[in-house]
Amino acid sequence: QVQVVESGGGSAQVGESLTLSCEISGNIIMATAAGWYRQPPGKERELVAAIRSGGRTIYGDSVKGRFTISGDKGKNAVYLQMNSLKPDDTAVYYCTVGNFQGANYYPNSRWGQGTQVTVSS
C-alpha cells in the first residue's frame, strides 16, 4: 500500500504564494507518476497537475502558468508551488501516485487527508 501525507496548506491573500508538500511511502514500485488533485467546496475533485518520473508535466487549464509541480525521487516527495493565488483556488488539495496512459494521468493510491488551502481577497 502507498501512503501519502500532504502538508503546507493554509490561508493566503489573493496574489500570494503557497507551496504544498507530499511525502510518499510504501510500495510505490508500480507508480511512474504523481499528481495533485483539489476539491473546492461543493464541487467535484479535479486534477491540478501531474508529473511523470522523467519530469514531464501536465496542468489543469485553470492553473497553467501559476502552479508548478515538481518531485524529489530521493526524498519520495512531490511538491506543488502555487503562485498568484485566486479565491477560486480555495480547496482541499490531495496528492496521489499513479501512472500515465497516453496523455492522461490515473491515480492508483488511496486518497490522503489532504491539506486545506483558503485564498481570500
Side-chain angles (χ1 to χ4, degrees):
Q1 286 284 5
V2 175
Q3 293 83 41
V4 297
V5 177
E6 304 95 340
S7 62
S11 298
Q13 298 290 316
V14 169
E16 292 184 341
S17 300
L18 285 173
T19 300
L20 305 183
S21 299
C22 175
E23 296 180 9
I24 304 168
S25 61
N27 185 9
I28 61 172
I29 192 169
M30 296 303 294
T32 59
W36 285 95
Y37 284 77
R38 68 184 181 186
Q39 187 164 19
K43 297 183 179 180
E44 294 187 354
R45 198 170 291 172
E46 63 181 3
L47 178 66
V48 176
I51 183 168
R52 299 175 187 261
S53 58
R56 291 182 65 183
T57 57
I58 60 171
Y59 294 92
D61 288 342
S62 62
V63 306
K64 283 181 181 177
R66 299 188 299 121
F67 289 13
T68 303
I69 187 172
S70 61
D72 186 330
K73 292 181 181 179
K75 295 183 179 180
N76 278 354
V78 179
Y79 308 98
L80 186 67
Q81 174 68 42
M82 306 186 296
N83 297 330
S84 302
L85 285 164
K86 304 175 180 180
D88 285 349
D89 296 320
T90 295
V92 179
Y93 285 73
Y94 299 90
C95 170
T96 67
V97 296
N99 302 92
F100 274 84
Q101 294 182 20
N104 298 314
Y105 172 74
Y106 294 93
N108 58 23
S109 60
R110 288 184 177 180
W111 299 103
Q113 293 295 313
T115 186
Q116 175 72 46
V117 172
T118 303
V119 184
S120 56
S121 56

